[in-house]
Amino acid sequence: MTKALKGVRILDFTHVQSGPTCTQLLAWFGADVIKVERPGVGDITRGQLQDKPNVDSLYFTMLNHNKRSITLDTKNPKGKEVLTALMKKCDVLVENFGPGVLDRMGFPWEKIQSINPKLIVASIKGFGPGPYEDCKVYENVAQCTGGSASTTGFRDGLPLVTGAQIGDSGTGLNLALGIVTALYQRTMTGKGQKVTASMQDGVLNLARVKLRDQQRLAHGPLTEYSQYGEGIPFGDAVPRAGNDSGGGQPGRILKCKGWETDPNAYIYFITQAAVWEKICDVIGEPGWKTHPDYAKPPARLSRLNEIFARIEQWTMTKTKFEAMDILNKDDIPCGPILSMKELIEDQSLRATGTVVEVDHPERGKYFSVGNPIKMSDSPTEVTRSPLLGEHTDEILRQVLGFTDHQVAEIHDSGALDPPRKLDPPRKVVPAYATFEI
Ligand code: CAO
């Protein structure tokens, strides 16, 4: 079966997490993704959080499946020539360098356009134009500056970052959508364009309901927030709402059987108005269906602590999976808190390819998250990440059409080697040394 992006070639200049997430998705849809890496080092994540010595880390392998790797010193004149040749042969250049890096490398947008006017140049930066545009940004910086941290956590506690990498992987998704949209537009215009996605924008986009609440605040308290029912006044910015649900239907995380020893024996429980009567029956409080203090949502708001405590008495008699089974039969919205251990062992996620086992020549077998987007005519096969520079010669010959002589010349130029240190070694001065003026 063919792949949706078969025939699309990506010059993948990405590193760490945000950019590689994007290009990995494109590779899963069938694009030929050529990852350009710095000789000797490669993507810095190859060596970060290594669980096995001298083997590409899971951090790297889980973000770079289905790609080819070429090493190239793009500051070396021959390296620039090879990069230019690659730009001519590719449909999309994807990068998430720090601000200004591509320009400093000698490839501003105008130059790239003159090399290949059809090339789509897709970039992730921490911020869009504005006061912070020159800043380097990592995941948690994006979560903090995009409105996620200020609205995550408990009202009387610190702002919190989330475990989900919404700044990196979330923005990678946005960029991937921008790229395929630009590819579609190019079929009509014949021209490339710039596609940019900032991590701050990406997080704010995901925190949209909190910007909604910020404006609602001007018209009165946010009645679905627990603090309203507890009589605690609101300030001038959206507060942290603990585990309250963002959809206007009160929800909480409740203990289940085994919570004393299992940190994940909990369930998310939503007291959705439409199923309130069923909830009353399940927890053994049929009288609440008609009692004026409990029957209608507004009456319940000031009693949420009492109501959830009563529901929790019931959930504590069931495991999270038993509770899920019982509640789902009545369409009562709920979700067990699943640990990473449970997710990696989940056979249904294995069956759908959401959790995949991959074999790697140096590290052996490991699990990864497969393509979260399933297409009936473009199935995803997850193949291992490339070793550093594994495909350098193959790309020089097959993609760029260089002859043996030209390939030898490129090797001799040093463009495929780590930059040589030209400066003489610096004299080490002990920290306690005094200097003569
Ligand atoms: N050959 C030669 N030089 C290369 C090269 C190659 N193949 N690949 C990269 N380089 C050089 C760049 O030219 C740059 O050199 P200069 O600074 O001299 O111009 C240098 O490597 C550093 O690039 P960088 O600024 O992108 O890398 P960094 O480690 O200093 O910063 C990061 C990393 C992620 C903070 C920064 O790239 C960034 O802000 N990116 C945008 C936001 C983003 O994607 N963040 C997600 C990070 S994951 O949490």
Side-chain angles (χ1 to χ4, degrees), residues 15-16 18 38 72 74-75 96 98 104 136-137 139 168:
H15 63 156
V16 202
S18 63
R38 213 194 308 220
L72 199 61
T74 56
K75 290 182 174 161
N96 69 311
R104 288 200 293 278
K136 294 190 171 185
V137 169
E139 172 65 45
D168 276 331

Side-chain angles (χ1 to χ4, degrees), residues 213-282:
D213 291 349
Q214 181 61 42
Q215 296 167 87
R216 289 174 58 222
L217 257 186
H219 304 284
L222 306 170
T223 55
E224 78 282 15
Y225 282 49
S226 291
Q227 88 175 66
Y228 171 75
E230 290 164 7
I232 297 163
F234 284 77
D236 60 359
V238 173
R240 292 184 273 289
N243 289 319
D244 289 348
S245 129
Q249 306 283 342
R252 298 261 176 103
I253 289 183
L254 305 177
K255 291 171 184 159
C256 290
K257 195 193 262 182
W259 66 274
E260 298 90 338
T261 51
D262 177 354
N264 293 303
Y266 291 86
I267 193 164
Y268 198 89
F269 192 112
I270 301 176
T271 55
Q272 192 182 42
V275 288
W276 175 246
E277 298 201 348
K278 289 174 179 171
I279 294 171
C280 296
D281 286 335
V282 166

Side-chain angles (χ1 to χ4, degrees), residues 20-40:
T21 309
C22 165
T23 50
Q24 177 169 260
L25 276 170
L26 302 174
W28 282 337
F29 292 134
D32 176 15
V33 175
I34 297 174
K35 185 164 172 110
V36 179
E37 296 183 80
R38 213 194 308 220

Side-chain angles (χ1 to χ4, degrees), residues 57-58 95 103 107 114 135 162 177 200 222 229 267 303 319 411:
S57 69
L58 287 167
E95 61 94 16
D103 294 357
F107 293 95
S114 72
C135 298
T162 85
L177 178 59
Q200 183 187 40
L222 306 170
I267 193 164
R303 296 179 177 80
T319 69
H411 275 276

